Amino acid sequence: MNARKKFRPLTWVLLILWALVVLFPFYWMVLTSIKDYGAYNAEYIPSFFTLSPTVENYVQVFTEVDLGRYLLNTVIFTVITTALMVFVTILAAFAFARMEFAGKNLLFTAFLALMMIPSELVVITNFQTITEWNMRNTFLGLILPSVTSVFYIYLLRETFAQVPDSLYYAAKVDGTSDWRYLWKVMVPICRPTVVTITILKVIECWNLYIWPSLITDDPKYYLVSNGIQEIRESGFGRANIPAMMAAVVVISIPLILLFLGYRKQIMSGVARGGTKG
């Protein structure tokens, strides 16, 4: 006990230093976003503070680039994609965890093997398929490739498997259908994991860059990731870093608030899904 008390101050010092290292990029992002364009370019040595902050960069990203529309598109894409993904994940996880059918274990093993396929290969095949179906520059083309996730199905399946079989057998004796048992018993019991995969999917959709850049070239369907690229390449030129940082701050705020509000559910859901027995 004495040894633990002896090293406790050192532990706190190391944790504080690590927190500063992690948080510094966010500080630098906000600081750059409130610097004047000319003042930023005039800095030969980077300054760690500014005496003349400005909100001009934030005004520019909403007036000279249609960032508001891109935010709306991203919200629509994120909500629909996440809802479909959670629905598909719950059904697939329940099938692998509770239902009995021929070749279930072999199929689940093959399903997990899909995680070994590089994502770049999947992007290529998805792009070819969506193009052949004439779904480029549509929300449907953006959404369809993102409605399934092997990892989330595996995570939820492991959580479903922890629910005692006796509950299932008791429900069947009472005449409860599998569909009703799933939504009235399994999902409420495993709510932390369901909330976790929902939040993680929201973050994934919000930060998606490669697929929207490939499948859309019409500004009507741009997401926020395309908007940042537009600021860099055509909105203000490659040198306007303060405007880009202002856009990144605006885009990051919803995710930061989401994580801070549901951090306990995320941690408990991941811990529960990774523990069996």
Side-chain angles (χ1 to χ4, degrees), residues 214-225:
L214 287 175
I215 211 67
T216 60
D217 52 24
D218 186 346
K220 292 191 301 182
Y221 300 98
Y222 277 180
L223 304 185
V224 289
S225 55

Side-chain angles (χ1 to χ4, degrees), residues 29 32 43 61 78 117 143 153 163 166 210 249 254 271:
M29 175 180 68
T32 305
E43 292 180 354
V61 297
T78 300
I117 300 177
I143 292 169
I153 292 174
V163 179
S166 57
I210 295 178
V249 170

